[in-house]
Amino acid sequence: MKILKIQALRGPNIWSVQRKKLIQMRLDLEDMEEKPTNKIPGFRERIEALMPTLIEHRCSEGERGGFFARIDRGTWMGHVIEHIALEIQTLAGMETGFGRTRETKTPGVYNVVFSYTEENVGLFAAESAVRIAEALIEGVPYDLDADIKKMREIRERVRLGPSTGSIVEEAVARDIPWIRLGTNSLVQLGYGVNQVRFQATITQNTSHIAVDIACNKEETKRMLDLASIPVASGSICVDEEDLDTTIRKIGYPIVIKPLDGNHGKGASINVTNWEDAKAGLDYAKKYSRRVIVEKFITGFDFRVLVIDNKLVAAAKRVPAHVVGDGKNDIEKLIAITNEDPRRGYGHENVLTEIEVDRDTEDLLEKLGYTLQTVPKAGEIVYLKSTANLSTGGTSVDVTDLMHPENIFLCERISRVIGLDICGIDIMAENLTQPLKETGGCILEVNAAPGFRMHLAPSEGLPRNVAAPVIDMLYPPGKPSRIPIIAVTGTNGKTTTTRLLAHIVKNNGYRVGFTTSDGIYIQNHMMEKGDTTGPLSAEYILKDPTVEFAVLETARGGILRAGLGFSRCDIGLITNIQEDHLGLNDIHTLEDLMRVKATVVKAIKKDGWAILNAEDDYCMKIAGDLHCNVAYFAMDEEHPVAKRLSREGKIVAVYENGFITIKKGEWKIRVERASHVPLTMGGKARFMIANALAATLASYLWGFKTDDISLSLQTFIPSVAQTPGRMNIFEFKRFKVMIDFAHNPAGYRAVEEFLSSVEANRKIGIIAGVGDRRDEDIRDCATIAARMFDHIIIRQEKHLRGRTEEEINGLILDGIAASNKSVTYEIITKEVEAIRHAINSATDGTFIVALSDVVANAIEIVQEYLDKENEDGTM
């Protein structure tokens, strides 16, 4: 078997709008296409022995063991690999269960699709599943545990930490979208102007000064002391002389820790003699030049969490330890403790596995123990000097046991330091009595405190501490999203997108939009190129200045990675015509319809889908939608448009020269089409269709018809506003038009427009596009022969797998099929073809350059026009 391609889908996609995170693997079964599972001796026994948990896969049978039943009856290896990929993720601690396997039009080649929780793990699982299947087929051993371990390691390397993850999960539960900014814990919640950012438990509202204070333990102690808050006595040391002075002042026992440390790194606890003190100083200086030395306070270690100046959780922290049984040595007891299913690698579980390090060895040495010592039954042996969960510690929730005075104290501390999310470390006998009575004190105040001990304590009630974070970032009434209008279809997408963006901008919004020629914010081009995929959409949604997004959404991006947004307010399909068929398993208009439908299936329930009532494939989509649907049609008398009007649907139509919105029998005339510059005085019917779609979308969003009308009248087609869309350059003796038409439907639209253009001679510059079907290249040439008197055949820069002779042959076949007497010539280079057409133009000539690379064509023609304006030649 051979993997042809693996891709990660990250947004709504052709397989599922709800399940956004999918791996799609294109797999060639090769000779296994002829060998279903029931034809492979011993396959069922081997797969069940290697992965017995597959018994839980119900598959299409709908019952436990259903997948094994399918194997017994005979199923293809693509289906088996799908289930293996899902199960190995589950075995690695990432439970997920959606899968689809479908054969493509290429015999033996399948699309194997399955869900993932971590993208890099999903990509690994795809390759691993194929290796596992091949080993099962061949009957050779396979180290499944190694792959599972590898997946866990990948997850720990790439996933969000438990604190960040909990905030994201709470946001998702509240329908707040999120974007991970890079590969660390920096996350954006919300879109555009309504976004907020946080990293771990530092938010965009966290005071930089407060973080600096919290990170400076000396300054923190000073401020708390001045505020009459109990702190441990001690001072800062940089050498042994300072250390000796401090010890003489406060006496033993002491605590030594780095001034700028965190997570207990570099700390030595309960130091009682000079030799250990010197060793502790050297250890702490590995992490910080300056070291804090404090009086060791006896009691228990508590962590209190205050968010938005309100106490939300408190936990008693217990350092990593083992309890003797009188039989096993400490090393064995650690291994037994680590077998607890709640413990895992890194942050994968509630608790972390205990590892032996210098701190462990030092503590054991003070007790006169080694790892081979057998503790007495019931004896507690502490293995870490700090109670951090990341080093194997445990936690007990004590939130409900806190004395009101201690609550007041902690909330006051958060204000004194100035942290919006504040972790307070307290040493005390308990928190049920005021600290001033128990002699407890504040050890540290932490910026970016971890949430894990509160989310899943070893004992006591779990606390959803992420909820108050979201409450703080998005208080009631604050929106997290911005309006999104997504535009797709075969032809007219870019023009409709630009017109919509113009209307939105004129209504006072700061608009960001994507098109096939670039990314724009308020008409400023930010990135140049074909930017109609999910990354470009995300670019707009990440911009903190954007208030409204209009996103051109092309098939390529949908197929490659899904949509770049979780849902939209309005989705618009201009039309579904022959284009790019035969690529990426899209062979028919039915296939293309399925891709385009992804956009309108991702509309929110109370949003609007806008469909072309005169397009049969758009109408097929309409019946499968769960949102509001409105329509547009060029012909008011079209049977479908009339039926929809009778049913009370909202339909935008072109009637009596007007762009009109019909609601049942009521008509709202928005503007006369001839007054809309985009329509070329009403002659460009396909531009009227674009205007209808944009007008309807604007109306449904809630813009006033007067404002829409004004925007329609002020949207001037030009190289700057609509590059490559009916750009007409008027020379003194002739005219040149450049258009992006590149498929039969686009050519027919140009043909319809040219029928209303008076010219002594019409010259067309055309090219065949190498990645189109033969019939599409021929059809374009036939249409060109009908609308032009003379044709110049040029070549695209990229032939995309074909030869120049092959493409030209198809074009000539198409010209011949028109049965019209038309002259032609072949000039391979576009620049030379355009120059030749202009240089040979006579009075009254109308030249049309149909180009996939409009920027080049525009530049050449503009150069000639500038020259004519300068010296009067031409």
Side-chain angles (χ1 to χ4, degrees):
M1 294 181 288
K2 183 179 181 182
I3 298 174
L4 303 178
K5 182 169 65 173
I6 303 177
Q7 59 200 96
L9 308 179
R10 305 178 189 94
N13 54 75
I14 61 172
W15 303 101
S16 174
V17 175
Q18 288 77 35
R19 298 174 179 87
K20 302 171 181 64
K21 299 166 70 171
L22 298 177
I23 298 295
Q24 179 177 317
M25 173 168 58
R26 189 173 174 84
L27 180 67
D28 187 348
L29 296 189
E30 297 180 322
D31 60 335
M32 293 309 300
E33 172 67 3
E34 306 302 323
K35 296 179 182 177
T37 51
N38 60 341
K39 299 289 180 65
I40 305 172
F43 185 83
R44 158 68 190 269
E45 291 75 18
R46 291 193 292 273
I47 192 171
E48 189 170 7
L50 182 67
M51 305 177 70
T53 49
L54 283 170
I55 189 73
E56 302 298 336
H57 288 221
R58 304 166 72 88
C59 203
S60 56
E61 305 296 299
E63 60 185 20
R64 189 173 186 267
F67 174 59
F68 284 148
R70 290 289 305 275
I71 288 177
D72 289 337
R73 288 206 310 271
T75 187
W76 270 259
M77 204 49 60
H79 181 212
V80 173
I81 287 168
E82 168 204 323
H83 280 268
I84 292 175
L86 289 170
E87 185 60 19
I88 58 177
Q89 290 183 87
T90 297
L91 292 173
M94 292 159 277
E95 189 164 351
T96 185
F98 176 83
R100 294 285 185 273
T101 298
R102 298 290 183 266
E103 188 173 13
T104 68
K105 292 288 194 299
T106 306
V109 176
Y110 290 76
N111 280 318
V112 179
V113 178
F114 58 89
S115 53
Y116 65 86
T117 58
E118 291 293 339
E119 182 178 315
N120 287 7
V121 174
L123 294 170
F124 178 89
E127 296 181 340
S128 173
V130 174
R131 291 194 301 269
I132 292 168
E134 289 175 334
L136 290 168
I137 292 165
E138 296 168 13
V140 298
Y142 191 87
D143 189 352
L144 182 61
D145 290 339
D147 280 6
I148 291 172
K149 181 182 178 185
K150 180 67 174 178
M151 285 190 283
R152 285 175 172 166
E153 290 172 351
I154 294 172
R155 176 183 61 178
E156 287 308 302
R157 188 172 69 245
V158 302
R159 77 167 176 173
L160 296 171
S163 302
T164 310
S166 69
I167 297 171
V168 168
E169 287 172 10
E170 181 65 21
V172 171
R174 301 190 190 193
D175 197 31
I176 296 172
W178 69 284
I179 300 171
R180 188 173 186 175
L181 304 175
T183 57
N184 55 21
S185 294
L186 182 60
V187 171
Q188 172 185 317
L189 299 179
Y191 289 153
V193 72
N194 292 323
Q195 67 179 265
V196 295
R197 297 175 187 161
F198 72 95
Q199 184 163 23
T201 56
I202 296 282
T203 78
Q204 66 180 37
N205 301 329
T206 303
S207 162
H208 179 75
I209 293 175
V211 172
D212 276 353
I213 293 170
C215 290
N216 186 324
K217 293 179 174 60
E218 182 181 25
E219 182 65 17
T220 300
K221 282 183 62 177
R222 189 186 68 80
M223 290 187 67
L224 295 180
D225 190 38
L226 289 174
S228 302
I229 295 168
V231 294
S233 59
S235 63
I236 304 300
C237 300
V238 295
D239 54 29
E240 290 184 10
E241 184 180 345
D242 291 341
L243 178 63
D244 182 59
T245 301
T246 301
I247 292 174
R248 289 178 184 277
K249 181 179 178 182
I250 65 175
Y252 292 109
I254 59 171
V255 176
I256 304 172
K257 53 189 176 182
L259 181 64
D260 303 320
N262 55 41
H263 301 299
K265 293 176 181 176
S268 298
I269 309 296
N270 196 16
V271 176
T272 58
N273 60 72
W274 177 246
E275 291 303 318
D276 287 347
K278 289 194 295 182
L281 177 68
D282 292 339
Y283 183 43
K285 291 189 72 172
K286 292 179 180 180
Y287 297 90
S288 173
R289 188 180 68 82
R290 302 171 74 203
V291 173
I292 191 164
V293 178
E294 295 176 335
K295 184 72 175 178
F296 177 67
I297 307 296
T298 58
F300 294 101
D301 186 340
F302 294 95
R303 163 62 65 85
V304 176
L305 182 64
V306 179
I307 297 175
D308 199 20
N309 306 128
K310 299 179 185 67
L311 187 141
V312 297
K316 177 182 175 182
R317 300 190 296 181
V318 182
H321 64 278
V322 292
V323 180
D325 58 6
K327 302 175 184 177
N328 294 297
D329 62 22
I330 292 173
E331 188 170 31
K332 180 62 175 177
L333 290 171
I334 292 173
I336 293 171
T337 302
N338 284 340
E339 289 175 1
D340 184 338
R342 295 177 300 169
R343 292 191 182 270
Y345 179 81
H347 289 154
E348 70 176 355
N349 282 347
V350 174
L351 300 175
T352 301
E353 292 178 352
I354 301 171
E355 294 183 1
V356 175
D357 58 10
R358 176 193 174 280
D359 190 24
T360 308
E361 293 168 348
D362 286 350
L363 287 174
L364 292 178
E365 186 180 342
K366 288 178 181 178
L367 295 171
Y369 288 178
T370 69
L371 289 173
Q372 282 66 51
T373 300
V374 178
K376 292 180 292 186
E379 180 184 357
I380 298 175
V381 180
Y382 289 101
L383 302 169
K384 303 291 177 185
S385 56
T386 60
N388 297 80
L389 265 66
S390 57
T391 58
T394 57
S395 65
V396 179
D397 178 73
V398 295
T399 307
D400 296 333
L401 302 179
M402 282 195 71
H403 192 280
E405 189 168 316
N406 290 336
I407 293 174
F408 168 77
L409 179 73
C410 291
E411 292 179 347
R412 184 163 171 261
I413 288 171
S414 73
R415 292 183 183 274
V416 169
I417 303 301
L419 287 170
D420 58 343
I421 300 178
C422 180
I424 303 167
D425 292 342
I426 301 174
M427 184 64 72
E429 287 299 320
N430 60 66
L431 295 183
T432 58
Q433 297 173 269
L435 292 190
K436 63 185 179 182
E437 293 182 9
T438 62
C441 68
I442 308 303
L443 298 180
E444 290 183 9
V445 178
N446 299 276
F451 285 0
R452 187 161 60 135
M453 71 186 74
H454 308 296
L455 293 166
S458 310
E459 299 177 35
L461 289 176
R463 304 287 173 172
N464 181 7
V465 294
V469 176
I470 300 298
D471 291 339
M472 175 178 66
L473 298 177
Y474 284 101
K478 179 179 178 179
S480 63
R481 297 176 181 267
I482 60 173
I484 299 175
I485 299 179
V487 181
T488 192
T490 302
N491 294 315
K493 297 188 297 296
T494 300
T495 301
T496 303
T497 297
R498 284 180 167 277
L499 178 53
L500 271 167
H502 179 73
I503 295 170
V504 171
K505 179 174 177 288
N506 283 357
N507 276 272
Y509 287 90
R510 186 177 292 274
V511 63
F513 60 100
T514 61
T515 70
S516 57
D517 51 74
I519 300 174
Y520 296 82
I521 295 176
Q522 284 295 86
N523 286 348
H524 295 280
M525 179 184 279
M526 313 308 295
E527 295 285 339
K528 188 175 183 179
D530 188 346
T531 58
T532 55
L535 291 179
S536 302
E538 195 174 273
Y539 183 105
I540 293 294
L541 299 176
K542 287 194 295 189
D543 190 287
T545 68
V546 172
E547 299 170 333
F548 202 121
V550 183
L551 307 173
E552 181 180 347
T553 309
R555 63 186 290 283
I558 298 173
L559 291 171
R560 185 170 59 252
L563 299 178
F565 48 87
S566 56
R567 68 164 185 257
C568 56
D569 299 87
I570 295 175
L572 191 160
I573 302 181
T574 57
N575 45 65
I576 299 174
Q577 304 286 341
E578 294 89 347
D579 195 20
H580 295 285
L581 298 182
L583 299 173
N584 298 316
D585 297 322
I586 306 302
H587 297 278
T588 66
L589 285 175
E590 287 277 351
D591 296 335
L592 187 59
M593 174 190 74
R594 197 161 61 95
V595 179
K596 303 294 186 184
T598 304
V599 171
V600 289
K601 287 182 178 179
I603 298 170
K604 64 180 186 178
K605 284 188 177 181
D606 60 347
W608 286 89
I610 297 174
L611 304 175
N612 187 334
E614 297 169 315
D615 189 298
D616 292 342
Y617 291 95
C618 281
M619 294 310 298
K620 286 183 180 180
I621 292 171
D624 199 27
L625 299 179
H626 302 287
C627 61
N628 300 306
V629 185
Y631 306 85
F632 66 95
M634 284 294 293
D635 181 5
E636 184 186 13
E637 298 301 315
H638 190 281
V640 174
K642 291 179 69 175
R643 173 178 60 80
L644 292 168
S645 292
R646 286 196 303 271
E647 293 172 358
K649 305 291 187 184
I650 298 178
V651 186
V653 296
Y654 177 51
E655 55 87 27
N656 295 318
F658 282 90
I659 292 169
T660 299
I661 295 172
K662 293 183 67 177
K663 299 174 73 174
E665 295 304 315
W666 289 84
K667 291 183 179 180
I668 304 171
R669 285 182 169 174
V670 179
E671 188 52 71
R672 187 179 289 277
S674 59
H675 293 172
V676 179
L678 181 66
T679 69
M680 305 293 177
K683 296 177 182 178
R685 288 179 59 82
F686 60 96
M687 288 298 190
I688 298 176
N690 294 337
L692 280 172
T695 297
L696 182 55
S698 306
Y699 174 78
L700 292 172
W701 173 252
F703 295 138
K704 296 178 181 178
T705 54
D706 286 348
D707 293 332
I708 298 171
S709 171
L710 180 61
S711 295
L712 291 173
Q713 294 177 66
T714 55
F715 186 75
I716 311 298
S718 63
V719 169
Q721 190 79 279
T722 55
R725 276 73 184 176
M726 303 281 290
N727 299 146
I728 297 178
F729 299 80
E730 297 199 15
F731 290 79
K732 292 177 180 177
R733 298 186 300 111
F734 57 88
K735 296 179 181 178
V736 178
M737 185 178 89
I738 296 173
D739 195 84
F740 188 66
H742 56 278
N743 55 46
Y747 271 54
R748 283 191 290 270
V750 173
E751 180 185 22
E752 184 180 27
F753 171 70
L754 288 180
S755 66
S756 64
V757 173
E758 293 184 6
N760 295 333
R761 191 171 188 235
K762 296 175 182 176
I763 298 175
I765 303 171
I766 68 170
V769 182
D771 62 358
R772 302 304 196 273
R773 300 178 304 172
D774 291 358
E775 55 265 43
D776 294 333
I777 297 174
R778 281 193 290 261
D779 286 351
C780 285
T782 300
I783 299 166
R786 291 202 304 257
M787 60 178 163
F788 298 126
D789 302 306
H790 180 72
I791 294 174
I792 299 174
I793 303 170
R794 64 170 184 84
Q795 278 307 324
E796 293 287 352
K797 184 177 181 181
H798 303 292
L799 300 180
R800 302 176 188 181
R802 294 184 185 261
T803 64
E804 185 177 324
E805 292 73 19
E806 182 185 3
I807 295 174
N808 286 344
L810 292 170
I811 292 174
L812 295 177
D813 288 345
I815 292 173
S818 70
N819 295 319
K820 180 188 171 188
S821 177
V822 58
T823 58
Y824 67 85
E825 56 188 313
I826 299 175
I827 301 176
T828 302
K829 293 184 178 179
E830 182 182 40
V831 174
E832 294 177 4
I834 294 175
R835 293 189 189 282
H836 173 71
I838 291 176
N839 291 333
S840 60
T842 58
D843 289 356
T845 298
F846 197 95
I847 302 168
V848 178
L850 300 178
S851 176
D852 245 1
V853 188
V854 295
N856 294 348
I858 289 170
E859 188 177 328
I860 298 162
V861 176
Q862 189 65 53
E863 177 189 319
Y864 272 88
L865 188 60
D866 291 343
K867 184 177 180 183
E868 178 180 89
N869 292 334
E870 287 174 10
D871 56 23
T873 59
M874 287 279 115

